[in-house]
Amino acid sequence: MSASLAPPPAGTARQPPLDTRYPVETPEGIDLALHPAGLVPRALAFAVDLAIRGLLLLLTFLALGQFGELGMGLTSLLVFLVTWWYMVLFEVLNQGRSPGKQLLGLQVLHDDGTPVGWAASLTRNLLRVVDLLPFGYSLGILSCLAHPTFKRLGDLAAGTLVVYRERPSSHPALPEVAAQPAPFALQADERRALLAFAERQSTLSAGRRRELAGILAGPLQVPEEQAEARLLGIARELLGPT
């Protein structure tokens, strides 16, 4: 299959990314593609942490309640520590993961992709009180739904981001397709995007693959049903012999 294609005109504005990946450059100059977590997984993680804290406080109350005023004083101290330091200690000392976040595969990072620190974790968790207003986490929910990376108010103030934790995996193999030359010279970010599509295609649904490939069907001057094969062929050409 061949297609005559001229490169896009100079000065053409780049379109924003189609999926929810959030590109950042770390202070070390490393490019990362973070995947922000939406409202539902964050709510589930918070519910798990809330249940753990409730169980911990209940067991403590039952154990210390028999010691009278001393027991009640110790229980009050533990209530303070669990309420205000449970999330902070786990986030800072456990790579941004409370037990709930770890169960859901989430973690908290700074906006630049670096591990969350004490000041940021304290800020985001202290401002949870504001997110709870006026009732039922209303402000936090509205903020998450309105922000492109699903930040609640505490995240906005602290400069933090809740993302899906990347799991180590073997480098994905591209499908066995015939290599095809690119119709014009691709820029570095365009090559990275094309290779990322080819590597991720096995994890995407057929509908999502067609949607992403169909965006390029026009520039490739091929029917939409052929765009996916064309992209994979160019990716194979970029990788060279394997």
Side-chain angles (χ1 to χ4, degrees):
M1 176 179 60
S2 63
S4 174
L5 179 63
T12 301
R14 292 186 181 276
Q15 296 298 317
L18 293 174
D19 58 18
T20 57
R21 297 240 167 178
Y22 177 71
V24 299
E25 182 177 347
T26 68
E28 295 78 15
I30 300 173
D31 291 328
L32 297 177
L34 304 177
H35 190 179
L39 177 62
V40 172
R42 292 183 63 169
L44 292 175
F46 180 75
V48 171
D49 287 320
L50 191 63
I52 292 174
R53 284 184 285 180
L55 179 60
L56 178 61
L57 292 176
L58 176 61
L59 294 176
T60 302
F61 178 79
L62 294 176
L64 298 179
Q66 56 185 327
F67 295 102
E69 293 184 358
L70 175 61
M72 295 306 296
L74 292 175
T75 299
S76 298
L77 178 61
L78 187 62
V79 168
F80 169 80
L81 292 175
V82 169
T83 301
W84 296 107
W85 286 93
Y86 169 94
M87 299 293 284
V88 175
L89 290 174
F90 274 113
E91 288 177 0
V92 176
L93 301 179
N94 192 37
Q95 300 178 338
R97 299 172 296 168
S98 64
K101 289 185 177 68
Q102 188 160 353
L103 182 64
L104 272 293
L106 310 179
Q107 69 177 143
V108 183
L109 298 172
H110 287 128
D111 285 340
D112 61 2
T114 56
V116 67
W118 290 102
S121 184
L122 275 169
T123 300
R124 73 184 303 274
N125 284 289
L126 287 174
L127 286 179
R128 197 178 297 275
V129 176
V130 180
D131 286 308
L132 287 166
L133 297 174
F135 60 87
Y137 241 108
S138 299
L139 285 180
I141 291 173
L142 291 175
S143 178
C144 277
L145 293 176
H147 199 275
T149 55
F150 314 111
K151 288 191 175 193
R152 61 178 178 83
L153 298 179
D155 291 313
L156 291 171
T160 54
L161 187 69
V162 179
V163 301
Y164 286 98
R165 182 175 173 82
E166 295 294 335
R167 293 178 173 83
S169 60
S170 58
H171 193 70
L174 268 63
E176 292 298 329
V177 296
Q180 300 182 40
F184 54 84
L186 300 175
Q187 298 182 17
D189 58 343
E190 294 170 333
R191 292 195 296 270
R192 285 196 297 267
L194 196 149
L195 289 172
F197 169 81
E199 292 174 350
R200 294 176 55 201
Q201 57 85 30
S202 61
T203 66
L204 301 173
S205 67
R208 183 59 170 160
R209 290 198 306 270
R210 287 193 299 269
E211 178 187 1
L212 293 174
I215 300 296
L216 299 178
L220 291 174
Q221 297 183 354
V222 296
E224 289 191 11
E225 60 271 13
Q226 298 179 20
E228 184 178 343
R230 177 73 163 141
L231 291 176
L232 295 178
I234 295 173
R236 174 61 66 185
E237 175 72 15
L238 291 174
L239 283 178
T242 58

